[in-house]
Amino acid sequence: MNETTTTPRKRTLDKDLDKLVHVEEATSLVARGLVGPGLGLLFLALAGIFASIYVGGEPSAFIIVAAAAIGAYMALNIGANDVANNVGPAVGARALSLTGALLIAAIFESAGALIAGGDVVDTVSKGIISPEAVSTPGIFISAMMAALISSALWINLATWVGAPVSTTHSVVGGVMGAGVAAAGLSAVNWPMMAQIAASWVVSPIMGGLVAALFLAFIKTAIIYQDDKIGAARRWVPLLIAIMAGTFSAYLATKGLKKLIHLDAAMIAVIGVAAFILVWIVSHFHVRRQSKGMENRNQSLRKLFNLPLVISAALLSFAHGANDVANAVGPLAAIVFTAQAGSVTSQVAIPLWVMVIGAVGISLGLVLFGPKLIRMVGEQITKLNPMRAFCVALSAAITVIIASGLGLPISSTHTAVGAVFGVGFFREWYTARSKRRRAYLERKGVKIREERAANGDGGLLSTTFFSDDETEDEASDVSREEVARRKLVRRAHVTTIVAAWVTTVPAAAALAAVIFLLLNAFI
């Protein structure tokens, strides 16, 4: 009797305990998902407290503290979205682990922002809005607040859907929308906006073409050579030297403006000197590293790992130096205007403002960056060290070329466009190779038939299609196989391109609405 009654109770107790275990596991998963947003909110609060220490009891303290929290939110979103372009290819190629990429990017982004970040910024962001249109301090502060909030919200949405977008374009769109809401369409510098719109097309096409050309060279000069290691010893040092010269010029152009002013001739000298020095060093390094390697593609990939890691670090440094102003530029403008009570065309960025930007970008990268890093490095197309090297090299070369020609450029569009270029080149090359193989196989069928008729035994029968496969059928098989193996995921291409096209108008519309709300309630 007792045994009969206790058994169901035991079963009920076991079920209840199982439910508790499942509840604990679910709670743990939910809590883990809330760690990032929780730390992000804590950083916003700390940024506000940090700002209040510097402004003290000034009459404008509330506005500055609120702006500091919004600027911190913008910095988090830049770290979550934009930095993926710098380290994503290295992660996708397995040259860096995700943890290693996050660590390198966080260190070099912060270093770039604090060491070489611009100390002066335009208050109306690249001349988009006429300064006279927002010359009243109150209107100007509301416009900059609206621009910051709208651009941060748009980048946050883009990160959530998995689309890397240009933070510069987001800020430009925010400033434009707030300016239109404040002073009408006539306040906008439309020729400048046309240049920015052109960069939507110029940046990815240039980046993709340069990356595809380098990949074509690597395939022709190294991968498809009989002596792969010998070809690598000849050409890999040259490619590494080109990367070194390009990155030196890139950093001198985009990342060292605060430390030293360099003209075009000096930048060229720096690039050439870096090219020669690195070519000499890498010549001995590649020869030593390739000693005893097997003559296969897997061996070649190891030669590109170190250059990829270095490129990720340098791109992160340059990005921190160049793009930190997107987060803290409007914030610095708000701080100056609130304290001085007047609007000026350019303002200095206080150190405490720069610290908020640098820490925010790094924290946003660590908390929310992995999603976009995987998107850029792994999900658009499959990358190996050689393809990722072409992407990194293309990003730097394209910026240098565009700067020299005076063309508008977006580093985000360039880097992602380079990934597209590598993927679409592989598709084209694969399709071409299959058609070539089908042609040779069809040709071999005819040769085999002729040999069989002449008593040669059809020696090519193991290499080509069977006798009953016609030329049209071979072509159909090739086309079907090519259609099946799309090497670039079209869904990601569509999502990213749509986000690029809508960034400026979406950020502008958001900014206009937010500006009107701020004016109504403040």
Side-chain angles (χ1 to χ4, degrees), residues 1 53 76 81 96 107 126 130 171 188 272 313 329 388 431 441 498:
M1 176 82 176
I53 294 173
L76 286 174
N81 191 290
L96 272 174
I107 292 172
K126 302 181 185 297
S130 171
V171 173
V188 179
V272 171
E441 289 171 344

Side-chain angles (χ1 to χ4, degrees), residues 33-105:
L34 295 175
V35 168
L39 290 176
L41 288 173
L42 178 62
F43 174 67
L44 302 190
L46 291 175
I49 295 171
F50 191 50
S52 68
I53 294 173
Y54 281 88
V55 298
E58 294 182 17
S60 57
F62 175 77
I63 293 175
I64 294 174
V65 169
I70 297 169
Y73 175 54
M74 177 64 172
L76 286 174
N77 283 290
I78 291 176
N81 191 290
D82 217 17
V83 182
N85 309 313
N86 305 324
V87 298
V91 172
R94 305 292 188 269
L96 272 174
S97 66
L98 182 59
T99 302
L102 292 173
L103 183 62
I104 287 176

Side-chain angles (χ1 to χ4, degrees), residues 19 158 282 308 418 487:
K19 289 178 182 178
S282 60
L308 263 181
L487 302 180

Side-chain angles (χ1 to χ4, degrees), residues 126-194:
K126 302 181 185 297
I128 300 302
I129 298 295
S130 171
E132 295 79 18
V134 286
S135 57
T136 304
I139 293 177
F140 179 80
I141 290 174
S142 295
M144 289 299 104
M145 283 272 205
L148 263 181
I149 296 171
S150 65
S151 54
L153 286 173
W154 174 252
I155 297 169
N156 197 337
L157 176 62
T159 304
W160 182 68
V161 300
V165 297
S166 171
T167 54
T168 302
H169 288 180
S170 301
V171 173
V172 165
V175 171
M176 184 188 77
V180 169
L185 293 172
S186 60
V188 179
N189 184 344
W190 292 109
M192 180 66 72
M193 288 304 304

Side-chain angles (χ1 to χ4, degrees), residues 272-361:
V272 171
F275 171 87
I276 295 172
L277 177 62
V278 172
W279 183 83
I280 294 171
V281 173
S282 60
H283 179 77
F284 293 103
H285 170 73
V286 169
R287 183 168 292 276
R288 184 176 63 253
Q289 189 180 17
S290 63
K291 190 175 181 179
M293 279 186 172
E294 295 182 29
N295 189 42
R296 59 196 188 105
N297 291 345
Q298 192 65 34
S299 301
L300 298 178
R301 295 173 183 178
K302 297 176 183 177
L303 301 177
F304 288 89
N305 282 341
L306 181 59
L308 263 181
V309 174
I310 295 172
S311 69
L314 293 178
L315 279 172
S316 296
F317 182 90
H319 180 270
N322 194 53
D323 278 27
V324 68
N326 290 330
V328 300
L331 171 57
I334 292 170
V335 171
F336 176 87
T337 304
Q339 291 179 329
S342 62
V343 179
T344 184
S345 60
Q346 287 190 330
V347 296
I349 302 179
L351 179 60
W352 66 269
V353 171
M354 189 67 79
V355 169
I356 288 177
V359 175
I361 289 175

